[in-house]
């Protein structure tokens, strides 16, 4: 036993293995360029839509869309007043373009996360084996420090908007996967049996029974995904992601407390609006 304790084990060359893997993956430049074009296209389309609307129209449209989404949730008028005043403040502070860039990045990362995450969560709910395999991966994605995601994003996608979306996507996708899986698994077994007794196919059970009953859990996952995407998009300003995070990052570098506070306040306003809309949509009809 003493001899074993005296033996000094050589450290595993884990860092070298990771570097070798990154170098090998970098050979597939065509694939990463294809992914870059898709993500940039989605983000540019969203940004184009934001730029198309005059600012006063945008300020009116956001509360209107909020009302359409949350009209049955008993939402109070305070949220509409907060949205209008908050957006007017961001416009007054000169951060409007930065705000729309941030929202475009968040929406791009969230849309891709939902497109990938919801089917994966459904697959997990249908298979215990898949759940056993995917859960440790989700644990890894959620516990890895956010800054670490910036390194491979830059290695594969360079500097700019796309690596920011990629890092936000990886960081923000686990909640919607977990909550989709949880919501479907919590559907009462007797309802599933009743659907089967009436001759429902697996697809019909999923669309007409499981997903509607799992809506609250799924929307909670959507809410958390958007909030995590926003936080990561701000962090991704370190690798060239545009928006309000860039203003905060530059303010830190210049030790400019005033600019940092105002840009941070704009981020808070955006976060509250996104959070309240998704939370109210979760309470809709419920």
């Amino acid at each position: 036993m003493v001899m074993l304790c005296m033996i000094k084990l050589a450290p595993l060359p884990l860092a070298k293995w990771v570097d070798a893997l990154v170098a090998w993956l970098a050979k597939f430049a065509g694939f990463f360029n294809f992914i870059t074009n898709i993500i940039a296209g989605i983000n540019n389309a969203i940004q184009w839509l934001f730029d198309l609307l005059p600012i006063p129209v945008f300020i009116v449209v956001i509360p209107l869309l909020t009302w359409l989404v949350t009209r049955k949730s008993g939402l109070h008028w305070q949220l509409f007043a907060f949205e209008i005043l908050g957006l007017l403040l961001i416009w007054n502070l000169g951060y409007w373009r930065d705000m729309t860039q941030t929202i475009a990045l968040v929406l791009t990362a969230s849309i891709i996360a939902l497109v990938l995450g919801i089917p994966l969560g459904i697959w997990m709910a249908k298979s215990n084996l898949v759940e056993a395999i995917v859960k440790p991966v989700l644990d890894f994605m959620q516990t890895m420090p956010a800054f670490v995601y910036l390194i491979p994003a830059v290695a594969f996608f360079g500097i700019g908007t796309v690596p920011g979306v990629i890092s936000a996507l990886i960081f923000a996708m686990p909640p919607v996967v977990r909550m989709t899986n949880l919501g479907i698994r919590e559907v009462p077994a007797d309802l599933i049996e009743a659907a089967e007794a009436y001759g429902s196919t697996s697809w019909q059970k999923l669309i007409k029974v499981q997903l509607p009953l799992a809506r609250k859990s799924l929307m909670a996952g959507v809410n958390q995904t958007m909030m995590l995407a926003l936080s990561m998009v701000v962090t991704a300003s370190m690798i060239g992601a545009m928006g309000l995070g860039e203003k905060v990052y530059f303010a830190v570098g210049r030790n400019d407390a005033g600019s940092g506070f105002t840009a941070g306040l704009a981020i808070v306003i955006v976060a509250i609006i996104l959070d309240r809309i998704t939370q109210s949509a979760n309470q809709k009809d419920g």
Side-chain angles (χ1 to χ4, degrees):
M1 188 69 178
V2 175
M3 292 297 294
L4 290 176
C5 293
M6 294 176 62
I7 297 175
K8 183 178 180 180
L9 297 177
L12 289 174
L14 186 58
K16 293 183 179 179
W17 293 345
V18 173
D19 290 339
L21 176 62
V22 171
W24 179 75
L25 290 174
K27 296 179 182 179
F28 300 94
F31 171 75
F32 292 116
N33 289 336
F34 174 72
I35 299 297
T36 298
N37 292 333
I38 291 176
I39 294 176
I42 296 173
N43 183 78
N44 291 338
I46 296 173
Q47 186 64 55
W48 174 83
L49 180 61
F50 288 159
D51 293 340
L52 184 65
L53 293 175
I55 295 177
V57 174
F58 191 101
I59 294 175
V60 173
V61 166
I62 292 299
L64 178 61
L65 291 177
T66 302
W67 178 81
L68 291 174
V69 172
T70 64
R71 62 187 184 276
K72 295 182 181 180
S73 65
L75 188 66
H76 298 294
W77 60 268
Q78 287 92 334
L79 175 59
F80 301 105
F82 175 83
E83 287 181 342
I84 294 174
L85 293 177
L87 293 174
L88 286 173
L89 177 61
I90 291 174
W91 186 17
N92 177 263
L93 294 173
Y95 291 129
W96 188 265
R97 173 71 176 178
D98 302 295
M99 181 202 70
T100 59
Q101 288 176 331
T102 297
I103 296 177
L105 289 171
V106 171
L107 291 180
T108 302
S110 299
I111 289 171
I112 299 174
L114 297 180
V115 169
L116 298 177
I118 293 176
L120 181 57
I122 294 172
W123 193 17
M124 287 177 63
K126 299 292 185 180
S127 171
N128 291 330
L129 176 60
V130 174
E131 184 183 41
I133 294 172
V134 174
K135 265 191 173 182
V137 178
L138 297 179
D139 293 337
F140 179 86
M141 293 168 66
Q142 286 189 295
T143 55
M144 178 67 70
F147 291 99
V148 177
Y149 291 122
L150 304 181
I151 301 172
V154 171
F156 298 138
F157 300 98
I159 299 294
T161 296
V162 172
V165 172
I166 291 292
S167 57
L169 165 64
I170 298 173
F171 187 69
M173 192 168 70
V176 73
V177 178
R178 291 184 186 277
M179 297 305 289
T180 302
N181 174 43
L182 178 63
I184 292 178
R185 285 181 177 272
E186 288 184 341
V187 174
D190 55 344
L191 295 179
I192 301 298
E193 293 173 358
E196 292 174 347
Y198 280 100
S200 298
T201 64
S202 297
W203 182 255
Q204 288 172 330
K205 285 189 297 182
L206 176 64
I207 298 299
K208 296 183 178 181
V209 179
Q210 292 172 309
L211 286 180
L213 292 175
R215 180 180 59 81
K216 283 186 175 292
S217 178
L218 196 151
M219 286 303 301
V222 172
N223 175 271
Q224 291 302 307
T225 291
M226 294 192 71
M227 293 299 99
L228 289 175
L230 177 59
S231 67
M232 193 63 193
V233 162
V234 173
T235 303
S237 62
M238 298 177 62
I239 57 173
M242 306 296 287
L244 294 169
E246 181 186 39
K247 300 300 182 183
V248 175
Y249 181 61
F250 287 166
V252 171
R254 297 191 300 264
N255 195 25
D256 187 348
S259 296
F261 175 80
T262 53
L265 178 61
I267 294 172
V268 169
I269 293 171
V270 172
I272 291 176
I273 291 174
L274 293 176
D275 178 64
R276 295 299 185 271
I277 290 175
T278 51
Q279 280 190 7
S280 299
N282 189 24
Q283 297 168 1
K284 184 179 177 181
D285 297 328

